[in-house]
PDB file of all heavy atoms in Angstrom:
ATOM      1  N   ILE A 413      11.922  22.188 -24.943  1.00 75.00           N
ATOM      2  CA  ILE A 413      10.729  22.384 -25.781  1.00 75.00           C
ATOM      3  C   ILE A 413      10.103  21.009 -25.998  1.00 75.00           C
ATOM      4  O   ILE A 413      10.730  20.098 -26.544  1.00 75.00           O
ATOM      5  CB  ILE A 413      11.090  23.037 -27.131  1.00 75.00           C
ATOM      6  CG1 ILE A 413      11.815  24.370 -26.870  1.00 75.00           C
ATOM      7  CG2 ILE A 413       9.839  23.258 -27.976  1.00 75.00           C
ATOM      8  CD1 ILE A 413      12.333  25.063 -28.104  1.00 75.00           C
ATOM      9  N   SER A 414       8.858  20.852 -25.530  1.00 74.00           N
ATOM     10  CA  SER A 414       8.203  19.551 -25.636  1.00 74.00           C
ATOM     11  C   SER A 414       7.744  19.308 -27.068  1.00 74.00           C
ATOM     12  O   SER A 414       7.716  20.230 -27.889  1.00 74.00           O
ATOM     13  CB  SER A 414       7.014  19.485 -24.673  1.00 74.00           C
ATOM     14  OG  SER A 414       6.016  20.362 -25.133  1.00 74.00           O
ATOM     15  N   LYS A 415       7.341  18.062 -27.343  1.00 75.00           N
ATOM     16  CA  LYS A 415       6.897  17.703 -28.702  1.00 75.00           C
ATOM     17  C   LYS A 415       5.729  18.575 -29.149  1.00 75.00           C
ATOM     18  O   LYS A 415       5.583  18.871 -30.324  1.00 75.00           O
ATOM     19  CB  LYS A 415       6.460  16.236 -28.717  1.00 75.00           C
ATOM     20  CG  LYS A 415       7.643  15.278 -28.779  1.00 75.00           C
ATOM     21  CD  LYS A 415       7.121  13.853 -28.832  1.00 75.00           C
ATOM     22  CE  LYS A 415       8.268  12.898 -28.518  1.00 75.00           C
ATOM     23  NZ  LYS A 415       7.823  11.669 -27.922  1.00 75.00           N
ATOM     24  N   ASN A 416       4.873  18.995 -28.195  1.00 76.00           N
ATOM     25  CA  ASN A 416       3.735  19.832 -28.601  1.00 76.00           C
ATOM     26  C   ASN A 416       4.052  21.327 -28.498  1.00 76.00           C
ATOM     27  O   ASN A 416       3.160  22.162 -28.492  1.00 76.00           O
ATOM     28  CB  ASN A 416       2.471  19.479 -27.802  1.00 76.00           C
ATOM     29  CG  ASN A 416       2.728  19.433 -26.320  1.00 76.00           C
ATOM     30  OD1 ASN A 416       3.839  19.761 -25.879  1.00 76.00           O
ATOM     31  ND2 ASN A 416       1.735  19.050 -25.551  1.00 76.00           N
ATOM     32  N   GLY A 417       5.335  21.659 -28.432  1.00 74.00           N
ATOM     33  CA  GLY A 417       5.763  23.053 -28.562  1.00 74.00           C
ATOM     34  C   GLY A 417       5.753  23.853 -27.274  1.00 74.00           C
ATOM     35  O   GLY A 417       5.976  25.068 -27.306  1.00 74.00           O
ATOM     36  N   ILE A 418       5.505  23.216 -26.132  1.00 74.00           N
ATOM     37  CA  ILE A 418       5.496  23.971 -24.874  1.00 74.00           C
ATOM     38  C   ILE A 418       6.938  24.185 -24.413  1.00 74.00           C
ATOM     39  O   ILE A 418       7.743  23.241 -24.373  1.00 74.00           O
ATOM     40  CB  ILE A 418       4.673  23.233 -23.786  1.00 74.00           C
ATOM     41  CG1 ILE A 418       3.204  23.197 -24.217  1.00 74.00           C
ATOM     42  CG2 ILE A 418       4.822  23.900 -22.427  1.00 74.00           C
ATOM     43  CD1 ILE A 418       2.314  22.326 -23.387  1.00 74.00           C
ATOM     44  N   ILE A 419       7.241  25.471 -24.110  1.00 75.00           N
ATOM     45  CA  ILE A 419       8.610  25.812 -23.701  1.00 75.00           C
ATOM     46  C   ILE A 419       8.685  25.827 -22.177  1.00 75.00           C
ATOM     47  O   ILE A 419       7.845  26.438 -21.513  1.00 75.00           O
ATOM     48  CB  ILE A 419       8.985  27.215 -24.225  1.00 75.00           C
ATOM     49  CG1 ILE A 419       8.934  27.223 -25.745  1.00 75.00           C
ATOM     50  CG2 ILE A 419      10.376  27.619 -23.735  1.00 75.00           C
ATOM     51  CD1 ILE A 419       8.926  28.631 -26.316  1.00 75.00           C
ATOM     52  N   PHE A 420       9.669  25.161 -21.634  1.00 76.00           N
ATOM     53  CA  PHE A 420       9.917  25.234 -20.193  1.00 76.00           C
ATOM     54  C   PHE A 420      11.386  25.571 -19.981  1.00 76.00           C
ATOM     55  O   PHE A 420      12.265  24.874 -20.477  1.00 76.00           O
ATOM     56  CB  PHE A 420       9.566  23.906 -19.503  1.00 76.00           C
ATOM     57  CG  PHE A 420       9.713  23.976 -18.005  1.00 76.00           C
ATOM     58  CD1 PHE A 420       8.718  24.544 -17.229  1.00 76.00           C
ATOM     59  CD2 PHE A 420      10.855  23.504 -17.370  1.00 76.00           C
ATOM     60  CE1 PHE A 420       8.857  24.635 -15.840  1.00 76.00           C
ATOM     61  CE2 PHE A 420      11.002  23.588 -15.990  1.00 76.00           C
ATOM     62  CZ  PHE A 420       9.987  24.157 -15.220  1.00 76.00           C
ATOM     63  N   MET A 421      11.611  26.701 -19.321  1.00 77.00           N
ATOM     64  CA  MET A 421      12.994  27.098 -19.044  1.00 77.00           C
ATOM     65  C   MET A 421      13.276  26.911 -17.569  1.00 77.00           C
ATOM     66  O   MET A 421      12.449  27.218 -16.729  1.00 77.00           O
ATOM     67  CB  MET A 421      13.197  28.575 -19.398  1.00 77.00           C
ATOM     68  CG  MET A 421      13.141  28.818 -20.883  1.00 77.00           C
ATOM     69  SD  MET A 421      13.319  30.549 -21.243  1.00 77.00           S
ATOM     70  CE  MET A 421      15.010  30.804 -20.802  1.00 77.00           C
ATOM     71  N   ASN A 422      14.477  26.437 -17.269  1.00 82.00           N
ATOM     72  CA  ASN A 422      14.869  26.383 -15.857  1.00 82.00           C
ATOM     73  C   ASN A 422      16.318  26.796 -15.718  1.00 82.00           C
ATOM     74  O   ASN A 422      17.031  26.980 -16.705  1.00 82.00           O
ATOM     75  CB  ASN A 422      14.585  25.007 -15.255  1.00 82.00           C
ATOM     76  CG  ASN A 422      15.463  23.905 -15.812  1.00 82.00           C
ATOM     77  OD1 ASN A 422      15.450  23.644 -17.008  1.00 82.00           O
ATOM     78  ND2 ASN A 422      16.196  23.240 -14.955  1.00 82.00           N
ATOM     79  N   GLY A 423      16.736  26.940 -14.460  1.00 78.00           N
ATOM     80  CA  GLY A 423      18.049  27.520 -14.186  1.00 78.00           C
ATOM     81  C   GLY A 423      17.847  28.958 -13.768  1.00 78.00           C
ATOM     82  O   GLY A 423      16.757  29.359 -13.370  1.00 78.00           O
TER      83      GLY A 423
END
Side-chain angles (χ1 to χ4, degrees):
I413 303 175
S414 69
K415 281 182 195 152
N416 50 5
I418 294 170
I419 299 165
F420 184 80
M421 291 178 69
N422 68 300

